[in-house]
Amino acid sequence: MKLITRDTDYAIRALCCIAGAREKTLSVRDLTGKLDMQRPFLRKILQKLNKEGLLDSSKGRGGGFTLALAPEKISVYSVMRVFQGPFSISEHLFKGKTCQFIETCFLKKKLDELERIITREMKSITIRSLLKKGPDFTGEV
């Protein structure tokens, strides 16, 4: 089980790069160079972030992407939901059917508790906090 998929990871990197950039607006070309990602793949991620309201885009000369929200308002959890859907580790489905022991399952209760803890922590990690604590996400050396 992957907690964070490749799309989510790349989206977080792109958001951090945009948030930490000196320029107000970054083009796909700028981001591709800074993040060392394939242009079509990055473009797809940026378009999805734009559609979901985490980025704003502008077209034409000088166009590109800017954050739609302040970096402290964008959480890792919100990015995960865009690319991975609702977070769940305790679904308890077997062959498409709900487990018959769901009401009495001891493991499910522990997994529900773990899910609440992970969700709370992921909501507390913001783009701003990653820029403060992490390595240089701007792509600059």
Side-chain angles (χ1 to χ4, degrees), residues 1-14:
M1 173 182 84
K2 287 184 180 182
L3 182 60
I4 294 182
T5 64
R6 183 178 66 154
D7 287 3
T8 300
D9 177 55
Y10 284 9
I12 291 167
R13 290 175 184 276

Side-chain angles (χ1 to χ4, degrees), residues 8 18 34 37 43 60 63 80 92 94 109-110 112 140:
T8 300
I18 293 167
K34 290 182 180 209
M37 291 182 200
R43 182 179 216 86
M80 285 174 68
H92 262 56
F94 301 103
K109 290 176 183 166
K110 291 306 274 181
D112 284 345
E140 298 171 6

Side-chain angles (χ1 to χ4, degrees), residues 18 23-26 54-58 64-69:
I18 293 167
E23 307 86 12
K24 258 193 160 256
T25 303
L26 290 178
L54 297 176
L55 287 179
D56 285 328
S57 67
S58 55
F65 293 89
T66 57
L67 294 182
L69 304 169

Side-chain angles (χ1 to χ4, degrees), residues 38-102:
Q38 295 293 319
R39 184 181 176 103
F41 183 65
L42 179 59
R43 182 179 216 86
K44 182 183 87 165
I45 287 172
L46 296 172
Q47 287 171 343
K48 192 160 189 173
L49 290 169
N50 181 53
K51 180 182 175 195
E52 296 297 324
L54 297 176
L55 287 179
D56 285 328
S57 67
S58 55
K59 295 183 182 200
R61 187 176 173 101
F65 293 89
T66 57
L67 294 182
L69 304 169
E72 60 273 9
K73 301 274 188 196
I74 303 172
S75 70
V76 168
Y77 182 78
S78 64
V79 179
M80 285 174 68
R81 286 189 58 91
V82 168
F83 291 94
Q84 298 173 219
F87 176 67
S88 176
I89 59 174
S90 61
E91 200 169 317
H92 262 56
L93 290 178
F94 301 103
K95 296 183 181 178
K97 296 179 183 176
T98 304
C99 173
Q100 64 183 355
F101 305 109
I102 200 159

Side-chain angles (χ1 to χ4, degrees), residues 112-136:
D112 284 345
E113 181 182 334
L114 184 58
E115 189 175 303
R116 282 189 297 276
I117 292 167
I118 292 171
T119 298
R120 183 181 67 236
E121 290 301 313
M122 292 302 211
K123 285 180 177 180
S124 75
I125 303 168
T126 65
I127 298 302
R128 169 76 69 216
S129 69
L130 290 174
L131 287 175
K132 287 183 179 178
K133 295 179 184 174
D136 183 12

